[in-house]
Amino acid sequence: MMTLYSGTTDPYSHRCRFVLFEKGMDFEVIDVDVFNMPEDLAVMNPYNQVPVLVERDLILYEANIINEYIDERFPHPQLMPPDPVMRARARLFLHRFEQELFCHIAGLESNNAKVNEKAREAVRANLTQIAPIFGKQKFMLGDEFSMLDVAIAPLLWRLEHYGIHLDKEATPLMKYAERLFSRQGFIEALTPAEKAMRK
């Protein structure tokens, strides 16, 4: 059985929980207090961060690596495209999410108002840029739900919590977000603390 060490409000852990629930498999989630990390976590992950996935002798960290492993190990429903070209494109998108959106998470969670505002602006601009895509298609890669949707969903869920308000032009993106939030796997993956992030 897989065990996921997961932060209750950590967006990266949220990604992994989402995949596990989408797959509908047997696993255990161990909630970790990110402000008071258990000592054994530092042994499992040299960066002393969540999420960490443990399965027998295998220990994985980094949300995207964990999720690809789960997807390959339990291929139904498949979340990464089966075609190598599309899969490479999907990985490039995931990399861009890290570089352009998720790199601002620390800033969004900072107590420094200036750092906060700068991060909010950057995320708002990047999301507004991709919003028009969803006027034409249901999900990131077209009509099929994929790992890209899993990756961005935790950030979209936290927009209100982070004080990010999008303009009318981002309406297609917000409708897309609601489609993600209504998925059973997403609902089941939410922790009580995450549920409290949205009114």
Side-chain angles (χ1 to χ4, degrees):
M1 175 145 81
M2 289 184 173
T3 302
L4 180 73
Y5 290 81
S6 160
T8 51
T9 58
D10 172 53
Y12 298 98
S13 299
H14 191 173
R15 262 186 206 176
C16 297
R17 280 183 263 117
F18 190 7
V19 166
L20 288 165
F21 279 105
E22 275 289 323
K23 299 280 183 182
M25 39 182 278
D26 265 356
F27 59 89
E28 181 188 8
V29 174
I30 294 175
D31 289 331
V32 172
D33 177 356
V34 291
F35 301 106
N36 185 21
M37 294 282 201
E39 280 175 31
D40 57 340
L41 204 67
V43 177
M44 292 189 271
N45 179 352
Y47 304 104
N48 200 22
Q49 293 169 331
V50 286
V52 173
L53 185 81
V54 179
E55 188 184 29
R56 296 190 203 89
D57 299 334
L58 178 71
I59 296 171
L60 293 176
Y61 42 89
E62 287 303 305
N64 288 338
I65 294 170
I66 290 171
N67 281 352
E68 273 212 54
Y69 170 73
I70 295 168
D71 196 46
E72 287 177 10
R73 182 105 163 64
F74 300 92
H76 304 288
Q78 191 168 23
L79 296 174
M80 283 297 275
D83 169 59
V85 173
M86 285 303 288
R87 200 160 56 241
R89 281 197 184 131
R91 286 190 180 120
L92 206 53
F93 263 118
L94 289 169
H95 179 69
R96 284 187 62 189
F97 287 169
E98 300 313 308
Q99 299 300 309
E100 295 167 20
L101 292 169
F102 280 80
C103 64
H104 299 293
I105 295 287
L108 293 168
E109 295 182 352
S110 161
N111 293 324
N112 181 318
K114 263 189 183 163
V115 171
N116 239 210
E117 188 46 46
K118 198 176 170 191
R120 274 201 294 269
E121 268 308 309
V123 171
R124 191 182 295 121
N126 279 304
L127 288 177
T128 304
Q129 202 178 353
I130 62 170
I133 297 170
F134 303 104
K136 305 182 192 82
Q137 58 195 53
K138 272 177 75 174
F139 297 110
M140 278 281 174
L141 290 178
D143 288 335
E144 294 296 314
F145 177 78
S146 75
M147 197 65 86
L148 300 186
D149 306 301
V150 166
I152 204 168
L155 176 64
L156 296 177
W157 180 259
R158 288 162 171 73
L159 290 181
E160 199 178 307
H161 176 71
Y162 290 144
I164 297 170
H165 305 289
L166 300 174
D167 298 331
K168 269 205 185 103
E169 59 199 292
T171 302
L173 178 81
M174 298 324 290
K175 286 184 175 165
Y176 157 72
E178 292 304 327
R179 280 196 291 282
L180 299 182
F181 304 158
S182 66
R183 291 184 76 87
Q184 195 57 38
F186 186 87
I187 295 163
E188 289 173 350
L190 287 168
T191 63
E194 284 166 343
K195 283 178 186 163
M197 287 177 172
R198 285 171 70 91
K199 297 177 188 69

